[in-house]
Amino acid sequence: MLGKTQEWLANQAKITPAVVIGLESAKRKLPDNHALSQVKGVLEANGLELLEAAEARGEGVRWKEPTNKTWVDCLRHGRAMLGISLDEMAARSGVGKYAIARLERGNQKRLPEQSAERLRDVLFENGVVILPEDRSHGAGVCMRPKLRQLPPL
């Protein structure tokens, strides 16, 4: 969300880029708590708020304060949470990958609302919720809360 590289984050957190890559990997086993603390500190110092899972929502990230960003500005971040490529998002949504890339970059004179809403719906169907900006917090993304499974009949 900050638009920075892994190398930048590693440098700011005083850890190696390999540690950042490991922290971001879905295959990691037990993360280094010191490294996590360092990364969290850098993100928070740069205006982000990490959200812990709660009953109403899963883990996520949002801007601590309003930034005048819209929910459309968070589409790329939602896709990143799922770890899916532009090609995969295009296949799932029916929206062309170049149209998705333009939407994610925000260089549109007129927002193609139907395409943006379809992308938001695909994110939601796959477990990601776009958090709109409100008076006290900026926009962001989070995972949907885990639905309670009903026991089999």
Side-chain angles (χ1 to χ4, degrees), residues 34-141:
H34 176 72
L36 281 175
S37 176
Q38 294 292 101
V39 167
K40 181 180 180 186
V42 170
L43 298 176
E44 289 175 346
N46 282 276
L48 293 178
E49 176 182 16
L50 300 179
L51 306 171
E52 291 186 25
E55 192 168 317
R57 60 166 165 67
E59 295 174 326
V61 61
R62 74 181 319 160
W63 293 101
K64 284 184 199 176
E65 298 185 14
T67 60
N68 293 323
K69 292 184 185 291
T70 68
W71 65 267
V72 176
D73 295 317
C74 293
L75 290 172
R76 179 174 55 91
H77 311 306
R79 185 171 61 79
M81 283 184 85
L82 293 175
I84 60 175
S85 67
L86 279 173
D87 289 327
E88 189 173 350
M89 184 60 134
R92 290 180 184 208
S93 67
V95 177
K97 73 177 185 178
Y98 297 111
I100 296 169
R102 283 192 304 275
L103 263 169
E104 289 182 352
R105 281 193 307 268
N107 52 351
Q108 305 259 310
K109 290 182 181 177
R110 189 180 69 75
L111 175 68
E113 290 181 34
Q114 192 172 23
S115 294
E117 289 172 2
R118 179 65 190 133
L119 296 173
R120 182 183 60 195
D121 292 346
V122 168
L123 292 172
F124 184 80
E125 291 162 8
N126 287 278
V128 172
V129 176
I130 303 285
L131 302 170
E133 185 167 290
D134 60 33
R135 289 191 310 212
S136 59
H137 296 94
V141 291

